[in-house]
Amino acid sequence: MRNVDKVFPFIKYRIVANVIRPVQDKDLSLIPVSVAIIGVFLSLFLGSIVRNGEREVVRTSFRTNYEKERSAIRAKLSSYREALMSLALFMEASELATFVDFNRSSTVVMNRNPEIKAIMWLPRVDHADRAVYEQERRFRTPGFTLREEINNSDVISTADTREEYFPIEYITPKNESNSKMIGIDIAFSRMNFESMNAAIGNLEPIVVLDPEAKQSERKKIFQFYPVYESIHASQEPEPQYVNIRGFVGASFDIESFLTTVNRDSKSTDLFFCLLDKQGDKINPLYATSLDPLNVIDESYKPAIAPINVYGRDLELVGKPTKFYVDALSNGTPLLVTTSSLIITILLSAYMQSLVNRNKAINEKVRVQTAELVNVNQQLEFLSSTDPLTGVMNRRALNSALDKEWKRSLRDGSYLSMAMLDIDFFKQYNDTYGHILGDQALQNVAATIKQHCQRSVDVVARYGGEEFVIILPGVKQPDEMLDSMIKSVQNLLIPHKSSPIGNYLTVSIGAVSCIPVDGLALESFIAEVDRQLYAAKDQGRNRFKTTPYQVST
C-alpha cells in the first residue's frame, strides 16, 4: 500500500477529490434506487442468459430426438425391406411354394415385426391364363374368383378384364377378415398398379399409402417387393416385364408403426406429424395423440425434414411438448433471477440504511454547523461591534477603512470620511451621570445610522464620545452632515452644562478625496481630525470640510 501511495499519489488525490468528496457532499437518496434498477436489470439479464442456455439445451435435445425419430422411421422401413426381401428370395427359389411354406416364413417375419398386420403373396396372372388360374384355385378355395373393390368402397365385384392381374393368393395371418381378401386384385387401383409397375426392374420395394382410407379406418402403408422368375433375370441390365412372377406385399397401419418407433426412439413426450407430399397434394398420415395437459410448446421452432422412402416423399414434422420441456428444465433461470433479485433487495436495503444514516449524520452536522456559524457570527459581531451603541468598534473600523481606501485607489473613485464628536460630553457625564451619558451615546449613534442607509456606508465608534463615518463614492457630504447635526440637535437631549446651548450638540470634521499613489491613509485620517478641531474652534455645533483633494 505504501508503494501505491508513492507511485500513484496524484491518482489517489483525484479519487478523493472527485469521487469521495462529491459523494459526501451530494444527496445520496438516488443511490439505493439506482442500485435497485441496475440490480433488477442485471437479474433479468442473467436470468435471460441462463434461460437462453436452457432453451438451447432443449432445442439441441429436441433436434437430437427428432433425428432419432426420423432415423428410426427409416430404419424400421428398412427392416421391413429386409423381411420382404427374404420372402421374395424364398418365393423366387420355391416356384411351387404352398401356403403352408409361405405362412411359415411370413409368420417368422411377423413375429419379429408385430406392426405388420398382414403379409401377402400376389402372383402375376395374365388375362389369357385367368380362367385356368381361377379353376386351379377353386380346388383349394371353393368359389375362388378374381375380384376388386368398386370405387374404394366395401362393395366387392368380379374383376374387370385387364391384361394382367395381381390377386391375393396367400395371406398371413389367415383369419376371417383376411380370408375375405383372397382373390382381390391389388392392381385394380391405378395408383397401386403404377406403383407396382415402377418397382419392376428394381431390387427395392415400393411403398404405397392408402390416402383414401375412410375417416373411421386407420391409415395403412403397403410395401411391395417384386419377385422375378429367377434371381438371374433380375440381374440383367434391363429386366423385362415378362420376368415378373408377382409381388410379396406387407401392410401395417401407420399409427401402430409410429407408436412402436416412438417407443424405440424414446420420443414419447414429443409431438410428431407424418405428412405424405406428392406434388402439390399434402395428406396427413399420422399425428401423435397427446395428454390434454401435455400441450405443444409453440415457443420453439418446429423441426421439418423430408423422408424419402423408396420413391415416396414423406415429411416428418416434430414439435416439443410441455412435458418434454419441463423434463429438461431444472428451474435454474428462475433460481438465478430470484437469487439476484433477493441480493438486489438486500443490497438496496443496506444502501438505503447507509443513506438514512448518512442523512442523519448530515442533518446533525448541518444543525451543528448552523449553530457553529451562528455562534461565529455572534462572535464576529461582538468582536467587531461596540457593545454600547451597536455600531462598529475601532478594530472593525480600521479594517473597513483600509478596505475602502484600497478600493477607491483601485477604482479611482471618491471616498469621504467624517469624524463626529459630542460637544462638552465630559460635562454632560458629570452633570447627568454615566447612565444618561450612555443613553445619549446610543441616541446619537442611532441618529447617525439613520443618515447612512447605503450598504457600503460605515458608522463606527472611534472612542469615548467620537464617531467615524465612511462614505464610499461620495464627493460632497455637506448636505448629509448638516442634516445630521440638525437631527442630533432635534433630539432635544437636555445639556444645561453646555456653554453653547441648552441641548446636546455635535461637531463634525470631514474630508473627501480620490486616493492616489503617494497619498497615505494616515495623512487622510489626520486631515479629518484637523477638520474636526477646526469645527470646534469655530464654535462647535457645526461641520467643517476641506477642499476635495488634499495636498501630499
Side-chain angles (χ1 to χ4, degrees), residues 137-138 141-145 147:
R137 296 303 178 270
R138 290 192 183 105
T141 307
F144 180 88
T145 184
R147 298 172 296 159

Side-chain angles (χ1 to χ4, degrees), residues 458-473:
V458 175
V459 177
R461 187 178 179 187
Y462 196 66
E465 67 275 15
E466 292 182 334
F467 293 88
V468 170
I469 304 163
I470 301 174
L471 303 171

Side-chain angles (χ1 to χ4, degrees), residues 303-339:
I304 303 174
I307 303 177
N308 186 274
V309 184
Y310 310 125
R312 198 81 188 183
D313 291 329
L314 304 181
E315 188 174 82
L316 182 66
V317 179
K319 298 181 180 180
T321 65
K322 181 179 181 299
F323 288 176
Y324 182 84
V325 174
D326 290 346
L328 294 176
S329 302
N330 53 16
T332 302
L334 180 61
L335 178 62
V336 170
T337 303
T338 304
S339 301

Side-chain angles (χ1 to χ4, degrees), residues 128-142:
D129 301 328
R130 174 177 176 173
V132 176
Y133 176 78
E134 290 178 334
Q135 184 63 36
E136 290 176 352
R137 296 303 178 270
R138 290 192 183 105
F139 287 108
R140 296 196 303 268
T141 307

Side-chain angles (χ1 to χ4, degrees), residues 241-257:
Y241 186 80
V242 293
N243 298 123
I244 289 296
R245 278 187 59 205
F247 289 88
V248 173
S251 71
F252 47 90
D253 71 88
I254 298 175
E255 183 174 346
S256 299
F257 162 67

Side-chain angles (χ1 to χ4, degrees), residues 192-306:
N192 290 352
F193 177 76
E194 291 177 352
S195 299
M196 296 167 71
N197 196 36
I200 297 173
N202 297 312
L203 289 177
E204 296 292 345
I206 193 71
V207 174
V208 180
L209 302 177
D210 185 13
E212 298 179 357
K214 304 175 186 63
Q215 294 294 330
S216 60
E217 296 179 354
R218 295 155 74 98
K219 294 185 179 181
K220 297 182 177 63
I221 295 179
F222 294 92
Q223 274 192 337
F224 298 106
Y225 200 93
V227 177
Y228 297 93
E229 291 290 346
S230 65
I231 190 65
H232 303 291
S234 63
Q235 295 175 343
E236 295 178 5
E238 297 182 1
Q240 300 297 315
Y241 186 80
V242 293
N243 298 123
I244 289 296
R245 278 187 59 205
F247 289 88
V248 173
S251 71
F252 47 90
D253 71 88
I254 298 175
E255 183 174 346
S256 299
F257 162 67
L258 289 179
T259 300
T260 302
V261 170
N262 288 346
R263 185 177 64 251
D264 294 342
S265 64
K266 299 180 181 180
S267 302
T268 52
D269 282 334
L270 295 176
F271 172 81
F272 290 105
C273 180
L274 187 63
L275 304 176
D276 178 34
K277 298 184 68 175
Q278 304 303 318
D280 296 334
K281 293 183 64 177
I282 299 178
N283 178 38
L285 301 178
Y286 169 79
T288 305
S289 179
L290 298 176
D291 186 283
L293 299 178
N294 189 20
V295 297
I296 296 173
D297 193 333
E298 298 292 351
S299 64
Y300 290 89
K301 184 179 180 181
I304 303 174

